[in-house]
Amino acid sequence: MTVRTRIAPSPTGDPHVGTAYVALFNMAFAHSQGGEFLLRIEDTDQARSTPESEKAILDALHWLGLEWDEGPDNGGSKGPYRQSERSDIYRVHADQLLDTGHAFRCFCSSDRLDALRAQQMEDKQQVGYDGQCMHLGQDEVATRLAKGESHVVRMQVPREGQCTFNDMLRGEISIDWAQIDLQILLKADGMPTYHLANVVDDHLMEISHVIRGEEWINSAPKHILLYQYFGWDTPVFCHLPLLRNVDKSKLSKRKNPTSILFYQRMGYLPEALLNYLGRMGWSMPDEREKFTLPEMLEVFDIQRVSLGGPVFDVEKLSWLNGMWIREELTDEQLAGRLQEWALNRDTLMAFLPFAKQRMETLSDIAPLGSYLVSGMLPIAPEDLKSAGLEEDQLLEVLQYALWRLESVQQWNRDNIFNGLKNVADAMDIKLKPFLAPLFIAIAGSSASISVMDSMNLLGADMSRARLRHAIELLGGVGKKKLKKMEKAYQQLA
Ligand code: GLU
C-alpha cells in the first residue's frame, strides 16, 4: 500500500499557521514512508469560501516551501481537488446511503429545530436532532418529495454503545454514540457537509493516513461509521496536538497573530517559520533547534510527536528567525531577501501617490514611510492618549474599530472607510476625533497619510495586529470588561 496523506484546508479566511503546521507534518510523514502528499480544497461552505482565500492559502504554503504531489494547482490523477467541483460525486454517495437505509431524509423546518434546541437547552439535555423524520414511511417521503418540500439528508447513528478507534499517537479512543448527532450529510441546497465530502474524498483519493488537528477527534466516529456504511477500509487516524498561545489556551488571533501573511509582512524568513512549526510538539533526535526542511524530512519519525500542547510563542520564533538571519544568510543574500520582502519598487510605487504631496526632499520618504516597512511601532500609551479622547472611549474606539475591521472580507479602502464610519456614527463620535487614535496606532503619527490608505497599504493582518498592539499598550481589556464591551458593541450594530 502506498502511504498517502493530505491537507484539506477550507478557504474561508487568512492562511492560518495551524494549516501550515498540519501540512508540514503530513508532508513529513508521507516522505518518511516513501509516500505521497496531496492538497484538497474543502470549499463546500459556499457562503464563506472565496477564491481569494484559496489563492492566499496556496501561495502562503508555497512561500513556506511546502510542496504537494497532487492538488488544485498542479493536478493529479484523483482530481478534481476542489470539492465544489465534485458535487455530483457526493450526491451519488448520499443516494447510496439512502438506498441502504443508512441515511434518511429530514423535512424538519428550521423553526422546529430552533425550538427543539431551545427546549433541550432549557431541560439541560444534550443538544441534537431528535430523529423525528427517521420514522417517516416511504409513501410519506415520496409525497413530500413530489411536493418539492425542502429537506436535508441525515446519517443514521446508533444511539447506544461506543465507538472505539485507534489513533496513531493517542492509542485507543472511545466515544459514546449517544454523543454523536444524526449528522446532516447533504444540505437543503444539495451541497454536502464537510463530513460526507471529507470521507468520500479521502476514500476516492486513496488517503491511507488522516493526519489532522485534535479538534476533529469528536468527528472521527461519524467518519468511521460512514466508511463502514460504504463498505470501505478506514484510514489510519492521527490527531495532532493543537497549537496554543503562551497561556496554553488554543491559539487564537486575539492573543497571537495566526495568519501566515502577518508573519510574511513582519519579515520572518519562510525557512525560520517552517523550522519553528517543525518544533511544535516535535524535536530533532539531537534536540537541535535550528534545522532545515530537508534535514527534518530526512529523520522524521511521527512517533516523536509529543501530545503536550505545543506553544506557538512569537518571541521564540523571533529568536530563531534572528539566528537564521545571522547564521544562514550572507550579506548579499540578506540584501536580496530585504528587496524581495518590501524594500523594493512595488512598495514605493504603492506609497508615492500619497507621499509625494508631503515631500520637499527625497529624504522625507524615510520618516513618512518607515511605518510601512516596520513591525509593531515604537509608540507609547501617551501618544495614543494625546489623540484627544477620554481613556475609556479611547479603548472603545480601538476595540470596536478592531472588531469591525475583523469582519471586513474584501480589504480595500472603501470597505475600511465604510466600516470605520459605521462605528463612528453608531458611537456618535465625529470621524476626525474617532480616527485620531487610529492614526497613531496604525502609522505612529497624526501627520501621516489618510489612515484608511495606510491600512489598505499595510494589509488586513498588520493593521489588525497594530490595533491589538495599541490596545495592549493601554493595558489591554480584561475578560470581564471585554464581555461588557462586546455587548455594547453588539447593541451598536
Ligand atoms: N476542511 C477541514 C479543515 O478546514 C479539514 C479537516 C480534516 O483534515 O479532516 O480543517
Side-chain angles (χ1 to χ4, degrees), residues 6-10 22 40 42 194 198 202 210-213 215-216 223:
R6 57 29 170 208
I7 179 79
S10 299
V22 177
R40 177 175 75 230
E42 298 208 324
Y194 152 75
N198 184 272
D202 279 347
V210 169
I211 305 174
R212 59 184 173 192
E215 72 269 35
W216 298 104
H223 299 177

